[in-house]
Amino acid sequence: QQNELNSFLWTIKRDPPSYFFGTIHVPYTRVWDFIPENSKKAFQQSHIVYFELDLTDPYTISALTSCQLLPQGKNLQDVLPRDIYCRLKRHLEYVKLMMPSWMTPDQRGKGLYADYLFNAIAGNWEQKRPVWVMLMVNSLTEVDIKSRGVPVLDLFLAQEAERLRKQTGAVEKVEEQCHPLNGLNFSQV
């Protein structure tokens, strides 16, 4: 029963109440049916909603993109061992070749093309820091490609909050997410 599921919703008892809801970065369609009604009701009743980051703000997206890049003049080939770089390059060539067969008719019907999608995900990969390339490679699977075009849960809720004219904000800045990841050394990545 849905009402017996762990909702990842905490209530801060005050007047009016505040809620804290833990989300995950997956397409919302994978989890929406499993989110209990108490969480959906808390969202609907809230007037102000804060997210991890403001994914509807163009500055946030731009800053996230910039923070992923190696220092100017550096290339992934300069920082990865040659064998790993070559394996990565071959794997990305394989993904690019397979991507048309991984896409759904619905995606094609919406005008998504495999080359466009590949470039949107993996474009400029040779200028990215290893940790971000690792995260990118982890998202280049058939299952993930088939769900491209569907917003992750955080973005879906942010879009809903905007549509419902709720006041929104973010609890973190891009730098607070970027710097710890960029601080990992190669063996940690």
Side-chain angles (χ1 to χ4, degrees), residues 46-49 158-168:
S46 296
H47 300 289
I48 305 169
V49 184
Q159 290 169 337
E160 275 297 290
E162 276 192 347
R163 186 181 69 77
L164 297 169
R165 299 194 186 329
K166 295 178 183 290
Q167 182 180 335
T168 62

Side-chain angles (χ1 to χ4, degrees), residues 29-41:
T29 52
R30 285 195 202 165
V31 294
W32 190 250
D33 292 341
F34 302 101
I35 295 175
E37 288 306 315
N38 68 336
S39 299
K40 292 176 181 177
K41 185 177 177 184

Side-chain angles (χ1 to χ4, degrees), residues 54-68:
D54 183 355
L55 297 176
T56 63
D57 179 8
Y59 167 78
T60 300
I61 304 307
S62 173
L64 272 172
T65 301
S66 295
C67 89
Q68 296 178 17

